[in-house]
């Protein structure tokens, strides 16, 4: 079995190397080329000679389309398949950056069980698959981990192309301690389950990071104040966009503000 796996891996790598030699990274500058003013371009702007075989987990902007890395653009240009949370959202992003790609496939919470094996067929044939979410880093609050599990089970390499993340961006803007933090995702929508859920994490000695919809924000803040105590907090919206806002205060103060002002936009 071990020998068979090595031969298969060698065949897949050979296919990936052949593809890398044949593919032109014409959207990016050639390695070592001088810029128009005669200065040397930085190493970060030089494309790789080839992409190694495997699944690429690619971070995309959380709001401002300019917040995408050169490496992400290179991978999205050269991947055989791009697995998207919403093909329309990703298609718009690619268009904004001048990338034409004909193989966008849907991969999200509701179709992951069926779409995952189909993506594995591409990977097992030696193709390169890029995984993106609508915003931020895949596998944070989405089903990307399931695809990574399938890859590990079949010895398919998984590569990370880091970049924007709403979690780390919120921590930077909130002005709360960052030496220890816990990402909690969305609280349960119903008050009873939400309060029970909050009680399970109330003793965690760390900054807690939540996602919440505008419509449930005030009620969730009220439950957080009741269960977690009236601790310092920050509500952020429209991060990296023109109307970015960070509102600081105690949980009780923030609850009172949003009860009076109504659900925020964005």
């Amino acid at each position: 079995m071990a020998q068979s796996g090595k031969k298969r891996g060698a065949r897949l790598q050979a296919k990936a190397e052949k593809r890398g030699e044949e593919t032109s990274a014409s959207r990016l500058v050639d390695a070592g080329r001088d810029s128009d003013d005669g200065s040397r371009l930085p190493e970060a702007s030089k494309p790789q000679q080839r992409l190694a075989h495997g699944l690429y987990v690619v971070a995309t902007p959380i709001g401002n389309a300019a917040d995408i890395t050169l490496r992400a653009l290179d991978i999205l240009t050269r991947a055989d398949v791009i697995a998207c949370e919403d093909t329309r959202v990703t298609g718009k992003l690619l268009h904004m950056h001048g990338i034409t790609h004909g193989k966008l496939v849907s991969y999200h919470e509701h179709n992951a069980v069926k779409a995952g094996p189909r993506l594995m067929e591409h990977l097992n044939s030696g193709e390169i698959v890029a995984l993106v979410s609508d915003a931020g880093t895949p596998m944070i609050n989405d089903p990307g981990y399931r695809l990574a599990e399938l890859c590990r089970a079949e010895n398919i390499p998984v590569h990370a192309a880091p970049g924007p993340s709403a979690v780390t961006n919120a921590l930077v803007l909130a002005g709360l301690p960052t030496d220890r933090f816990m990402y909690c995702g969305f609280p349960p929508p119903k008050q009873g389950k939400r309060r029970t859920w909050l009680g399970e994490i109330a003793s965690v000695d760390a900054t807690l990071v939540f996602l919440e919809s505008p419509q449930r924000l005030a009620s969730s803040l009220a439950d957080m104040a009741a269960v977690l105590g009236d601790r310092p907090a920050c509500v952020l919206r429209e991060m990296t966009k023109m109307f970015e806002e960070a509102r600081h205060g105690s949980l009780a103060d923030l609850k009172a503000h949003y009860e009076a002002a109504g659900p925020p936009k964005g």
Side-chain angles (χ1 to χ4, degrees):
M1 292 293 289
Q3 183 63 28
S4 174
K6 289 180 180 179
K7 288 182 178 179
R8 176 173 167 274
R11 289 196 301 270
L12 295 178
Q13 185 62 33
K15 288 183 179 180
E17 291 178 358
K18 184 174 185 295
R19 183 187 307 105
E21 291 167 357
E22 294 174 348
T23 303
S24 169
S26 57
R27 292 194 63 261
L28 300 178
V29 297
D30 291 336
R33 180 184 296 173
D34 291 342
S35 62
D36 291 340
D37 62 3
S39 60
R40 300 296 287 179
L41 290 160
E43 285 294 322
S45 67
K46 300 173 184 177
Q48 302 176 34
Q49 292 301 310
R50 61 177 62 88
L51 290 179
H53 169 250
L55 173 69
Y56 284 78
V57 182
V58 183
T60 56
I62 62 173
N64 190 321
D67 293 336
I68 192 165
T69 68
L70 292 169
R71 185 176 177 222
L73 292 174
D74 186 36
I75 292 169
L76 295 175
T77 299
R78 298 200 274 167
D80 297 296
V81 178
I82 301 177
C84 320
E85 185 175 353
D86 187 327
T87 57
R88 295 166 297 181
V89 173
T90 301
K92 181 178 179 181
L93 177 67
L94 296 180
H95 178 74
M96 292 176 68
H97 289 283
I99 299 174
T100 301
H101 203 293
K103 194 64 175 179
L104 302 182
V105 299
S106 180
Y107 180 79
H108 49 72
E109 183 68 36
H110 303 293
N111 76 343
V113 173
K114 291 183 177 180
R118 291 197 292 268
L119 290 170
M120 289 304 299
E121 291 177 6
H122 289 285
L123 288 162
N124 281 317
S125 69
E127 293 185 337
I128 292 170
V129 175
L131 173 67
V132 300
S133 62
D134 284 351
T137 301
M139 301 201 194
I140 309 297
N141 223 68
D142 73 20
Y145 74 93
R146 297 177 185 169
L147 188 57
E149 286 180 334
L150 293 174
C151 287
R152 284 196 298 272
E154 300 196 29
N155 294 316
I156 299 293
V158 178
H159 312 277
S165 167
V167 176
T168 53
N169 199 83
L171 286 166
V172 168
L173 295 176
L176 298 172
T178 57
D179 54 334
R180 282 185 293 182
F181 66 90
M182 177 180 176
Y183 173 65
C184 305
F186 283 96
K190 302 295 184 181
Q191 185 183 61
K193 290 184 178 180
R194 184 165 59 231
R195 290 200 171 200
T196 300
W197 181 79
L198 288 168
E200 294 172 353
I201 58 177
S203 62
V204 175
D205 185 18
T207 296
L208 305 178
V209 183
F210 302 92
L211 300 178
E212 188 54 287
S213 70
Q215 292 72 26
R216 290 198 297 265
L217 179 59
S219 59
S220 285
L221 286 169
D223 290 337
M224 289 175 188
V227 178
L228 302 179
D230 194 19
R231 60 178 72 181
C234 179
V235 174
L236 297 120
R237 69 180 188 91
E238 295 287 279
M239 290 190 296
T240 76
K241 297 181 182 180
M242 181 179 297
F243 299 105
E244 176 179 275
E245 179 186 48
R247 182 171 293 276
H248 300 80
S250 69
L251 285 170
D253 289 341
L254 291 168
K255 183 262 302 187
H257 170 79
Y258 288 107
E259 282 181 341
K265 296 180 180 180

